[in-house]
Amino acid sequence: MSDDDGMLLNFTMSDEPNVAISKRATVTSGTWKERRMMKMKLEGKEPKKRSNGKDDGSNRRNKRRDVAVDDLEMTNDAKATWESFSGESGASDNQKGKQKKDGPSNVIPAHISSQVVTSLFTSNRKIDTLKNINQKNEDEETNPSNAPLIADDFESSGVSDILVKHLHEKLKIDKPTSIQKLVLPQLLSNNNEDLFIHAQTGSGKTLAFLLPILSRILNMKTRVDRKSGCFAIIIIPTRELAQQIYQVLISLTGCCHYLVPCLLIGGESKKSEKARLRKGCNFIIGTPGRVLDHFQNTESVKTQLGKSLRYLLFDEGDKLMELGFEETLSQILSLIHSIPIDTSAFPSLPSRIVNILSSATTKGDVTKLGNVALKNYKMISNGKMDNNALTSVPDQLVQSITIVPPKLRLVTLGAYLDSLCKKHKQQKTKDASHVSRTIIFLSCADNVDFHYEVFSSSDSHHGNLVGDSVRILTKGNTIFPSVDPEINPDVICYKLHGSLTQQMRTSTLQHFSKESETVAGKHLIMFCTDVASRGLDLPQVGTVIELDPPFAVEDHLHRIGRTARAGKSGESLLFLLPGEEEGYMEYIKPYHPKGWKMLNYTDDILKPTFQNAAVSRNDKSKARNSDEWDINATTWHLNLERRLLEDNYMKELAVKAYISHTRAYATHISKEKKFFNIKFVHLGHLAKSFGLRERPRTMGFQTAKHEEAESKKAKRENPKNKMFRLAREAQKQSFSEFNY
Ligand SMILES: Nc1ncnc2c1ncn2[C@@H]1O[C@H](COP(=O)(O)OP(=O)(O)OP(=O)(O)O)[C@@H](O)[C@H]1O
């Protein structure tokens, strides 16, 4: 495909050769005023400037700027490519001479496609939010709300001495956090009540329930080993989280090697899990489906449970219910409770099975789980509790919000990532091996694939590290880092979602979390779905970006909770669209008692990155060397658009991402639909942020067969049913993210 495609702004082109632009140009996008102005310009007429008297001048300036951007795009991009085309096509000297005289913009070559390229900066919806409704007080000193308590210790809470020593020497943990301080005495006492542990993200809920259970086993007079039976079963919604808790247990049992945990998760070999169960284990950690499967089909499990099982834990209980595991959990519970308890072997353990639920958020569903699992449970929380059982975000987390028009989402993300990379470079001057970690949350797997590809595969300036899900970037990128291809990016990109193989998911997370020579001095950027939003304890995540809005406020809290953990600092940025989505800020205000900063997408994000950046074009033409931020931002975007035109694989990814994203958008919970309704989104503009110049349906992308099938379906189906069907499909897709 020609490089020239897409160099034309806001007008369609004739296929006829050498047709004067002034006669044929049709302006097809923008407001009517802009279209008229552009059309007049193209026809060589000077539009009359009229003032309505209300304009304070800034509008006029902006409008002039938009037109100027269009002109510049046309003169630099279009002229350059038309010129180069006329050279390539072997135009006659006569023609060339004529072109020179008339100027290149007067003649349109035959094979330039009739693609319409809309400008990034025109026709964007107005942003209503003029004032930050929840301004962060920058002068207020904030103490980390999920940090260990300085004036406390584990000994006084009754934790076993061996464990206290091990925590101090091997894990460098000396003081309990506030939720641990509350839960420890409860589980160490002989009350044996069911518990609901509810505390902020990163506040140490895992140790809050594991330490007392281990302590009680270690404090028993009886000698135990892996053959003594399973004392606790921990059920978790995601495989990654199960692996994490398994690792925590492995490190805790470092002081008592005779106690053995066992991991049961989907995607792993059932045969080897069975073998491990036969050998015996003291803790089972698993995802619901696989645990039930073993309970039903592995005889050795049931025989162990009667004399030993005393604790049943549901971590991220609300997510378990949201994913529809109620039935599976009920079956697990009825199987467990059907086994008679024999207290004679371990009399100092509870005389009944204690059920424990843990989560940073609660909602209607979790009470259902409470009814399924907990009996007269006690709620233990370190947060503010009211009717809505709110958990606020950690006090030290610095939240920012930016309202960005749909067309500009991708370029704004690029600019923000670039600013994070610059920050990382600064930190590297103090410590050459400094590692920065950034997580970007996206709506669905296809969207992750697309963004990962955009930011990591430009011009093949990358090397794969772990299969195709971890890429180290090298010099020469024109997309990322967005500005100077000559500088070593020092960036490693990762992708994580439920459609990757379990092996890939595990090795990706390991690479992202572990300190190693490959990651030393690098900025690690992970593009992921909500599969990484729950419970994952990834070390030193400095920034969380929510490019796609969360599907429910609980997801928002969990996503941003991947940073600012256990008293550490952290930042997060939420992208919203102008219009109805701006109302979301009022909705999440109660969860952010410390407020947030509003970032202006132009002044605070785009300008600092693109001003004087001289972004190079990724085609044959020379670099622009422009100082203008908006021209540089436009060049950056056009580079991507050109890639899509030249690379069918990229284009397919973009189309799939766009389609899946719009479908996923329709699955926002009904309570939040007033902010996130696909009807409010300008789909053409949204397509632009996927590098697409038109909405996929109008691009003729679908095959004739597919279209025929679709149109038949459309004829049969009424719009309401179609909406429900698409929502169901998207929901199914988002659930399958987790691939249990
Ligand atoms: N007492 C402590 N002192 C220092 N660090 C701790 C302490 N307790 C836990 N941590 C660390 O805090 C981090 C967060 O712990 P954990 O994963 O249990 O949080 P959480 O409350 O379960 O968070 P989430 O709700 O996001 O799942 C872990 O790295 C853990 O090692």
Side-chain angles (χ1 to χ4, degrees):
M1 186 166 286
S2 161
D3 290 338
D4 310 337
D5 282 330
M7 295 305 110
L8 313 173
L9 285 158
N10 289 336
F11 47 89
T12 55
M13 314 297 285
S14 163
D15 281 348
E16 286 170 42
N18 300 338
V19 178
I21 198 166
S22 54
K23 285 186 188 154
R24 294 285 182 158
T26 322
V27 182
T28 58
S29 71
T31 62
W32 72 268
K33 267 188 191 167
E34 285 161 355
R35 285 202 300 273
R36 188 164 172 274
M37 286 228 304
M38 179 62 83
K39 200 170 172 193
M40 286 176 80
K41 266 174 161 274
L42 293 171
E43 286 164 3
K45 297 175 198 162
E46 194 53 39
K48 275 184 206 156
K49 284 183 186 134
R50 235 190 291 164
S51 166
N52 59 8
K54 284 179 198 159
D55 196 342
D56 65 358
S58 62
N59 270 348
R60 256 196 326 272
R61 270 198 305 279
N62 286 342
K63 205 146 255 179
R64 264 208 311 270
R65 175 135 210 86
D66 288 340
V67 172
V69 172
D70 286 0
D71 284 345
L72 275 162
E73 277 183 352
M74 188 170 71
T75 50
N76 288 334
D77 267 347
K79 279 180 188 171
T81 45
W82 292 355
E83 273 169 338
S84 68
F85 163 75
S86 57
E88 278 167 24
S89 67
S92 71
D93 285 344
N94 258 356
Q95 274 173 321
K96 275 187 193 166
K98 190 177 179 322
Q99 278 168 23
K100 228 177 203 164
K101 203 171 127 226
D102 296 344
S105 59
N106 278 351
V107 181
I108 304 161
H111 76 295
I112 288 183
S113 103
S114 56
Q115 280 266 328
V116 176
V117 185
T118 59
S119 166
L120 282 177
F121 296 96
T122 49
S123 316
N124 286 318
R125 192 167 169 182
K126 207 172 108 255
I127 295 171
D128 295 325
T129 308
L130 300 173
K131 202 169 157 267
N132 186 348
I133 54 157
N134 193 17
Q135 182 68 46
K136 184 176 175 58
N137 181 356
E138 305 275 357
D139 302 327
E140 187 193 350
E141 208 179 295
T142 44
N143 293 320
S145 52
N146 53 10
L149 305 167
I150 296 168
D152 246 296
D153 56 43
F154 285 110
E155 289 93 334
S156 60
S157 305
V159 176
S160 129
D161 292 345
I162 318 168
L163 213 44
V164 173
K165 193 162 170 266
H166 181 69
L167 283 174
H168 170 70
E169 286 173 2
K170 298 282 189 249
L171 307 178
K172 310 285 174 241
I173 292 180
D174 293 310
K175 314 277 181 196
T177 61
S178 61
I179 191 68
Q180 289 163 358
K181 186 75 192 151
L182 292 170
V183 174
L184 280 164
Q186 185 67 33
L187 283 177
L188 284 165
S189 75
N190 279 325
N191 281 351
N192 303 330
E193 276 173 297
D194 287 353
L195 288 190
F196 189 151
I197 305 170
H198 178 253
Q200 279 180 342
T201 51
S203 58
K205 291 186 286 297
T206 315
L207 286 186
F209 59 72
L210 289 182
L211 285 180
I213 295 175
L214 252 181
S215 283
R216 283 189 81 159
I217 298 168
L218 293 176
N219 286 342
M220 287 191 307
K221 299 281 180 290
T222 334
R223 183 161 168 69
V224 285
D225 61 20
R226 67 187 303 167
K227 288 281 175 203
S228 307
C230 176
F231 296 105
I233 296 174
I234 305 163
I235 294 175
I236 300 131
T238 68
R239 296 170 188 175
E240 279 73 17
L241 195 47
Q243 279 168 328
Q244 183 179 299
I245 294 188
Y246 174 70
Q247 288 305 331
V248 173
L249 260 170
I250 292 276
S251 62
L252 282 180
T253 50
C255 65
C256 45
H257 290 292
Y258 47 87
L259 291 176
V260 178
C262 178
L263 182 66
L264 307 177
I265 54 172
E268 292 291 336
S269 149
K270 242 194 261 179
K271 213 170 154 192
S272 57
E273 285 177 355
K274 273 188 180 202
R276 265 179 273 142
L277 287 169
R278 261 196 303 273
K279 277 196 203 164
C281 64
N282 309 105
F283 304 95
I284 288 176
I285 304 109
T287 45
R290 190 52 77 90
V291 170
L292 181 63
D293 190 339
H294 281 292
F295 276 11
Q296 287 170 335
N297 303 312
T298 310
E299 200 47 43
S300 52
V301 183
K302 279 186 257 170
T303 51
Q304 296 177 35
L305 297 180
K307 66 174 186 215
S308 58
L309 187 69
R310 295 295 181 277
Y311 297 97
L312 187 55
L313 296 110
F314 301 95
D315 200 9
E316 306 294 346
D318 54 338
K319 191 73 191 174
L320 281 168
M321 293 312 280
E322 191 189 319
L323 293 169
F325 282 121
E326 195 179 348
E327 179 65 32
T328 315
L329 295 176
S330 304
Q331 287 187 44
I332 294 176
L333 280 163
S334 64
L335 265 165
I336 287 174
H337 290 294
S338 67
I339 303 168
I341 295 183
D342 173 6
T343 54
S344 60
F346 307 109
S348 55
L349 290 185
S351 53
R352 60 179 285 267
I353 294 174
V354 177
N355 299 296
I356 302 165
L357 231 113
S358 157
S359 182
T361 49
T362 61
K363 49 182 181 181
D365 278 348
V366 93
T367 347
K368 251 203 265 169
L369 181 62
N371 295 337
V372 173
L374 310 182
K375 287 202 179 77
N376 305 321
Y377 64 90
K378 185 167 176 176
M379 173 80 98
I380 300 195
S381 172
N382 67 346
K384 175 186 150 203
M385 297 291 297
D386 58 17
N387 291 341
N388 296 318
L390 288 186
T391 321
S392 59
V393 305
D395 287 356
Q396 77 275 21
L397 188 142
V398 180
Q399 173 75 50
S400 302
I401 298 180
T402 183
I403 302 165
V404 184
K407 275 200 255 181
L408 284 142
R409 275 160 41 93
L410 192 71
V411 70
T412 309
L413 174 68
Y416 194 71
L417 286 178
D418 183 70
S419 70
L420 293 179
C421 286
K422 285 185 185 136
K423 220 195 251 175
H424 169 74
K425 290 232 148 84
Q426 267 174 7
Q427 279 159 333
K428 262 187 77 177
T429 56
K430 292 180 217 144
D431 169 13
S433 61
H434 178 82
V435 180
S436 304
R437 289 184 176 85
T438 299
I439 301 184
I440 302 160
F441 281 104
L442 295 148
S443 57
C444 54
D446 289 336
N447 213 356
V448 169
D449 285 338
F450 169 71
H451 284 85
Y452 173 73
E453 209 64 25
V454 165
F455 286 101
S456 72
S457 71
S458 162
D459 311 329
S460 306
H461 290 289
H462 69 272
N464 287 345
L465 291 177
V466 172
D468 194 25
S469 62
V470 182
R471 281 174 179 165
I472 186 158
L473 305 194
T474 54
K475 270 190 198 181
N477 275 278
T478 48
I479 291 286
F480 190 81
S482 52
V483 281
D484 195 341
E486 293 311 311
I487 296 174
N488 186 354
D490 272 345
V491 165
I492 304 183
C493 288
Y494 299 75
K495 67 169 172 180
L496 187 75
H497 56 70
S499 306
L500 298 172
T501 62
Q502 187 51 44
Q503 206 189 6
M504 188 89 101
R505 281 162 68 168
T506 309
S507 49
T508 304
L509 265 185
Q510 264 174 8
H511 201 282
F512 186 79
S513 329
K514 286 223 167 105
E515 299 294 326
S516 71
E517 257 183 41
T518 331
V519 301
K522 298 277 187 279
H523 180 190
L524 316 184
I525 302 174
M526 182 157 82
F527 298 87
C528 60
T529 57
D530 278 325
V531 78
S533 69
R534 285 276 174 162
L536 285 190
D537 185 48
L538 305 166
Q540 292 154 24
V541 174
T543 312
V544 169
I545 301 172
E546 295 182 271
L547 180 67
D548 295 334
F551 291 102
V553 72
E554 289 77 16
D555 297 332
H556 168 63
L557 299 179
H558 287 282
R559 283 171 168 195
I560 61 176
R562 296 318 99 207
T563 185
R565 297 176 71 75
K568 303 219 175 68
S569 60
E571 292 180 1
S572 57
L573 173 66
L574 171 67
F575 277 67
L576 293 174
L577 298 178
E580 289 73 8
E581 284 196 10
E582 291 176 59
Y584 191 57
M585 289 187 281
E586 189 66 52
Y587 186 70
I588 58 171
K589 196 173 161 189
Y591 302 89
H592 289 269
K594 298 288 170 189
W596 54 64
K597 293 195 248 181
M598 290 298 299
L599 298 186
N600 180 300
Y601 75 93
T602 52
D603 293 347
D604 298 322
I605 304 178
L606 289 174
K607 275 189 197 171
T609 288
F610 286 110
Q611 189 78 50
N612 302 320
V615 178
S616 342
R617 287 176 53 152
N618 62 354
D619 59 1
K620 285 162 269 163
S621 68
K622 287 182 213 147
R624 284 176 156 201
N625 279 335
S626 172
D627 293 343
E628 304 274 332
W629 66 271
D630 46 1
I631 296 173
N632 282 322
T634 305
T635 308
W636 187 93
H637 212 276
L638 285 171
N639 281 347
L640 173 73
E641 291 174 35
R642 261 191 298 267
R643 263 181 81 193
L644 259 65
L645 291 172
E646 285 160 9
D647 181 348
N648 257 340
Y649 170 70
M650 268 306 285
K651 189 169 169 184
E652 251 175 64
L653 274 185
V655 172
K656 267 169 84 178
Y658 167 85
I659 293 173
S660 301
H661 174 70
T662 44
R663 283 186 182 168
Y665 198 92
T667 63
H668 279 277
I669 57 167
S670 52
K671 230 165 80 185
E672 299 180 14
K673 272 257 159 54
K674 54 180 181 276
F675 314 116
F676 306 105
N677 191 326
I678 198 69
K679 280 190 204 150
F680 304 145
V681 182
H682 189 305
L683 294 175
H685 286 189
L686 186 69
K688 179 91 173 169
S689 69
F690 288 85
L692 300 167
R693 290 171 178 181
E694 288 162 86
R695 283 175 58 192
R697 209 183 297 169
T698 56
M699 286 166 67
F701 199 85
Q702 290 160 328
T703 60
K705 213 171 165 188
H706 180 78
E707 266 179 2
E708 202 182 313
E710 282 291 300
S711 70
K712 265 188 196 163
K713 212 182 264 178
K715 264 182 214 158
R716 266 184 272 124
E717 211 172 18
N718 77 37
K720 203 171 158 192
N721 290 348
K722 188 177 172 190
M723 199 179 78
F724 283 129
R725 179 175 57 80
L726 292 178
R728 268 196 310 275
E729 274 173 20
Q731 195 162 24
K732 217 166 128 195
Q733 196 189 15
S734 84
F735 284 177
S736 71
E737 279 296 292
F738 293 88
N739 277 351
Y740 292 103

